[in-house]
Amino acid sequence: MAQEDVFKKLVAHCKEYGFVFQSSEIYDGLSAVYDYAQMGVELKNNIKKYWWDSMVLLHENVVGIDSAIFMHPTIWKASGHVDAFNDPLIDNKDSKKRYRADVLIEDLMAKFEAKIDKEVEKAKKKFGESFDEEQFRATNPRVKANQEKMDAVHKRFVEALDKNDLEELKQIIIDNEIACPISGTKNWTDVRQFNLMFSTEMGSTADGSSKIYLRPETAQGIFVNYLNVQKTGRMKIPFGIAQIGKAFRNEIVARQFIFRMREFEQMELQFFVRPGEEMKWFEKWKETRMSWHKALGFSEDKYRFHDHDKLAHYANAATDVEFKFPFGFKEVEGIHSRTDFDLSQHQEFSGKKIQYFDPELNKSYVPYVVETSIGVDRMFLQVMSEAYTEEKIEKEDGKVDERVVLKLPAALAPIKLAVMPLTKKDGLPEKAREIINDLKFDFNCQYDEKDSIGKRYRRQDAIGTPFCVTVDHQSLEDNTVTIRYRDTMAQERVAIDKLYDIMKKEVSMKELFKKMK
Ligand code: GAP
């Protein structure tokens, strides 16, 4: 199935099974804003817990905070967001559609890359074991031609971004004959900068009120609390402050479902280090974060680092963790070495000294910062994309059945256990409730007595429940139940008093953390 179709099915599945709804749907929706539904919120909370515990529980030198969304407006002047948090926009005059010029160019480069990958895959199949990919890439004329075109666009693109040359960005679009996907024409306006911050008024009277911003990143809430946390927590460098919270950006190109939203959630860590030691910590956090992703057990080849072509105004090194979504490799997380830019700016704009006295060096300095920043919603989409599986099952009578199953890591699954009485009578529902009442303080359980057992299994497969337990007449006699495992569909008879131990081992985040470096 084409990846585009897989993605459409995934989006439909998210709605049908109560994971994600379009915001304000009964009013025809609000673009690029989404609500998490009854299953979605559980999965999202589990993702946040997986991140939070991996930072705050596993590192004795990392503490968490929860700062306000509204902050003093000067913070955004100091951070550079008022002047430089812009996207380069271009409009197609025929379709009247607005695009990000950099995204149009990146999409063009992705097309060259896809063509190259296709050639490589074809050759791999043709030559089998003896295939030498490196040599093929260096000699195949079609691959070389596409690589040269891509390199040429890439070089011009990086230079244009570096110089903030908007005319050159437009020229790259014209020279490469990039057309509007809607109108199909190349009738473009000039490229202009557009600030992404939402603003509102604080205060009750028009002239007594002041313009404030909805934060476009949670990081600044950490920077402005650096001194308070360092002093009250008696933190010694190196140490980190973690935060999970909402952020807002007036994104122009809102597409790919929850990948690019106007209201979204970030999980950010600012790690404060000695000046000169930032590269060591940058490498350390790159490794730690990648192992956090990989501990979930998804395919290794779905991850890669992508170093930034153009560094943000605050960074001296930056890389993205990219994941292969159904629409290609895209950024899930950014890891940045932010130097002392933010703290120095806040020191200057606030007039307050923001320094650390290092007893070992016997001197004071403004700490350097390594940041890891991941979007909760992108992580959610990553988990759902990898978990969504369509399977054909051969039945005993030779017929083929189909099932859609979310192969979620058990620790992230919204419901851990479904308990099903075989029938609605003979005391089976009461026995099922008894099991739930015993386990519900530790695990999210669901009771289900409607329809055939087969249908009930399918419903649980579709929401990713790792365990289903069936209570039958034998259960009343010997206190055993049938446990059915989601991925293998294997079933076994177990004692009811063993359920807690079986579940505990499988759904605990501890097992994931043990796999991390
Ligand atoms: N404090 C650094 C920072 O905000 P960023 O690369 O702009 O860096 C970090 O954002 C992460 O936030 C991204 O890797 C992505 O996962 C998430 N993110 C950014 N913009 C987003 C959007 N419009 N919708 C959903 N997630 C977004």
Side-chain angles (χ1 to χ4, degrees):
M1 200 190 318
Q3 287 301 292
E4 239 171 59
D5 296 335
V6 174
F7 189 54
K8 274 190 199 145
K9 285 190 174 189
L10 176 65
V11 174
H13 191 89
C14 280
K15 178 170 179 196
E16 192 181 344
Y17 287 92
F19 282 87
V20 181
F21 299 147
Q22 173 74 61
S23 158
S24 325
E25 197 187 272
I26 60 167
Y27 289 95
D28 295 334
L30 188 63
S31 169
V33 186
Y34 291 89
D35 296 336
Y36 286 84
Q38 65 278 11
M39 289 301 141
V41 71
E42 297 290 344
L43 172 56
K44 196 181 187 204
N45 284 342
N46 291 339
I47 290 173
K48 289 195 271 187
K49 184 169 168 48
Y50 178 46
W51 183 88
W52 185 267
D53 288 357
S54 79
M55 289 295 180
V56 178
L57 291 192
L58 299 195
H59 297 96
E60 62 185 57
N61 58 350
V62 174
V63 292
I65 62 163
D66 182 11
S67 70
I69 288 170
F70 291 147
M71 290 195 271
H72 196 286
T74 310
I75 288 172
W76 304 109
K77 206 62 201 141
S79 67
H81 283 82
V82 172
D83 297 323
F85 194 54
N86 300 323
D87 273 346
L89 293 191
I90 190 163
D91 290 26
N92 182 270
K93 291 183 193 164
D94 300 317
S95 67
K96 310 273 183 259
K97 286 277 168 203
R98 183 162 285 179
Y99 298 91
R100 268 174 61 177
D102 55 336
V103 171
L104 286 178
I105 298 169
E106 276 167 9
D107 285 351
L108 172 75
M109 292 193 289
K111 274 188 197 147
F112 289 131
E113 203 177 4
K115 280 186 191 165
I116 295 172
D117 287 349
K118 213 168 152 190
E119 292 287 346
V120 171
E121 282 309 311
K122 236 169 53 191
K124 237 186 221 167
K125 276 199 192 121
K126 191 170 158 194
F127 296 112
E129 292 277 291
S130 61
F131 181 59
D132 181 342
E133 185 173 329
E134 207 176 309
Q135 195 198 358
F136 180 78
R137 283 180 182 271
T139 53
N140 179 278
R142 281 187 300 275
V143 170
K144 274 175 62 187
N146 277 313
Q147 189 65 50
E148 274 161 24
K149 280 187 208 159
M150 189 164 105
D151 291 345
V153 173
H154 184 249
K155 185 166 178 285
R156 282 179 73 183
F157 181 51
V158 174
E159 280 171 12
L161 289 179
D162 260 349
K163 293 185 198 137
N164 210 4
D165 186 344
L166 302 185
E167 275 176 33
E168 173 65 355
L169 282 182
K170 179 176 179 182
Q171 203 52 49
I172 297 173
I173 290 170
I174 305 276
D175 292 350
N176 287 281
E177 302 189 343
I178 297 177
C180 164
I182 307 288
S183 66
T185 69
K186 298 156 202 155
N187 194 7
W188 296 108
T189 62
D190 287 341
V191 178
R192 308 173 307 293
Q193 292 287 21
F194 176 87
N195 192 285
L196 296 180
M197 280 199 296
F198 284 104
S199 63
T200 185
E201 301 286 322
M202 186 175 256
S204 54
T205 58
D207 44 358
S209 65
S210 59
K211 183 176 175 178
I212 55 164
Y213 299 96
L214 273 73
R215 65 182 178 198
E217 61 171 13
T218 59
Q220 297 304 323
I222 296 180
F223 289 124
V224 297
N225 277 298
Y226 159 80
L227 268 187
N228 278 340
V229 174
Q230 192 270 317
K231 291 222 159 80
T232 58
R234 292 179 294 116
M235 306 303 290
K236 290 197 169 44
I237 274 185
F239 76 92
I241 305 179
Q243 167 158 240
I244 298 179
K246 288 268 183 164
F248 305 83
R249 295 182 191 178
N250 196 1
E251 298 282 359
I252 305 314
V253 188
R255 57 178 184 177
Q256 286 149 343
F257 191 39
I258 54 171
F259 182 81
R260 200 176 297 285
M261 300 156 88
R262 297 201 165 107
E263 174 180 338
F264 57 101
E265 211 164 350
Q266 290 185 315
M267 306 188 278
E268 299 203 293
L269 169 80
Q270 309 299 322
F271 196 73
F272 301 94
V273 304
R274 272 185 192 159
E277 293 191 354
E278 69 275 16
M279 283 309 155
K280 180 181 88 184
W281 287 106
F282 179 70
E283 292 305 325
K284 164 98 178 57
W285 279 107
K286 265 177 79 173
E287 193 189 342
T288 308
R289 293 303 304 143
M290 191 55 109
S291 79
W292 180 87
H293 284 276
K294 290 191 174 171
L296 290 174
F298 301 156
S299 337
E300 291 268 323
D301 60 358
K302 293 255 168 99
Y303 298 96
R304 70 181 186 194
F305 282 117
H306 171 78
D307 294 336
H308 283 206
D309 290 328
K310 179 181 187 258
L311 291 175
H313 58 275
Y314 49 72
N316 67 358
T319 195
D320 294 335
V321 176
E322 290 191 340
F323 180 77
K324 195 171 187 187
F325 289 97
F327 42 86
F329 269 106
K330 296 279 174 199
E331 172 190 346
V332 174
E333 171 158 10
I335 301 168
H336 310 121
S337 169
R338 286 180 84 127
T339 68
D340 60 353
F341 175 83
D342 301 87
L343 291 182
S344 297
Q345 288 289 101
H346 290 308
Q347 182 166 259
E348 189 186 325
F349 278 71
S350 69
K352 309 268 170 7
K353 203 167 157 201
I354 304 182
Q355 298 212 341
Y356 175 77
F357 176 73
D358 193 324
E360 279 173 36
L361 301 181
N362 197 26
K363 70 172 191 184
S364 294
Y365 51 77
V366 178
Y368 270 44
V369 172
V370 174
E371 166 187 77
T372 73
S373 172
I374 174 168
V376 180
D377 314 273
R378 284 194 193 173
M379 189 60 203
F380 185 102
L381 192 56
Q382 166 182 329
V383 170
M384 287 296 278
S385 315
E386 189 66 9
Y388 182 87
T389 314
E390 292 180 4
E391 277 182 356
K392 290 203 189 320
I393 307 154
E394 227 173 281
K395 294 202 295 190
E396 279 168 14
D397 60 8
K399 288 189 184 145
V400 176
D401 206 1
E402 283 183 9
R403 72 163 183 162
V404 173
V405 49
L406 286 187
K407 295 193 170 175
L408 295 168
L412 300 186
I415 307 289
K416 308 297 187 209
L417 175 73
V419 184
M420 310 168 169
L422 191 61
T423 64
K424 288 186 208 168
K425 49 185 199 245
D426 303 335
L428 301 187
E430 289 75 11
K431 187 79 186 166
R433 295 267 183 217
E434 226 177 77
I435 296 174
I436 290 186
N437 283 340
D438 199 32
L439 294 173
K440 71 182 179 191
F441 301 100
D442 297 290
F443 312 108
N444 199 343
C445 302
Q446 197 173 71
Y447 176 81
D448 191 0
E449 61 172 24
K450 200 166 174 285
D451 299 321
S452 68
I453 282 287
K455 276 194 183 154
R456 286 184 252 172
Y457 283 158
R458 290 289 175 275
R459 270 203 297 271
Q460 295 299 331
D461 286 345
I463 58 171
T465 307
F467 306 103
C468 291
V469 154
T470 307
V471 177
D472 55 18
H473 292 90
Q474 191 184 329
S475 311
L476 302 180
E477 287 160 21
D478 65 3
N479 270 323
T480 62
V481 285
T482 312
I483 185 164
R484 183 249 193 195
Y485 299 93
R486 180 195 65 201
D487 295 351
T488 58
M489 293 186 289
Q491 299 188 18
E492 62 177 328
R493 193 106 206 152
V494 297
I496 291 173
D497 60 11
K498 288 273 173 307
L499 283 176
Y500 177 85
D501 289 339
I502 296 176
M503 306 265 306
K504 180 111 180 71
K505 182 169 182 312
E506 297 285 331
V507 308
S508 148
M509 288 202 182
K510 201 167 155 188
E511 296 306 311
L512 297 180
F513 293 142
K514 278 191 203 157
K515 291 186 204 152
M516 280 180 65
K517 276 185 197 153

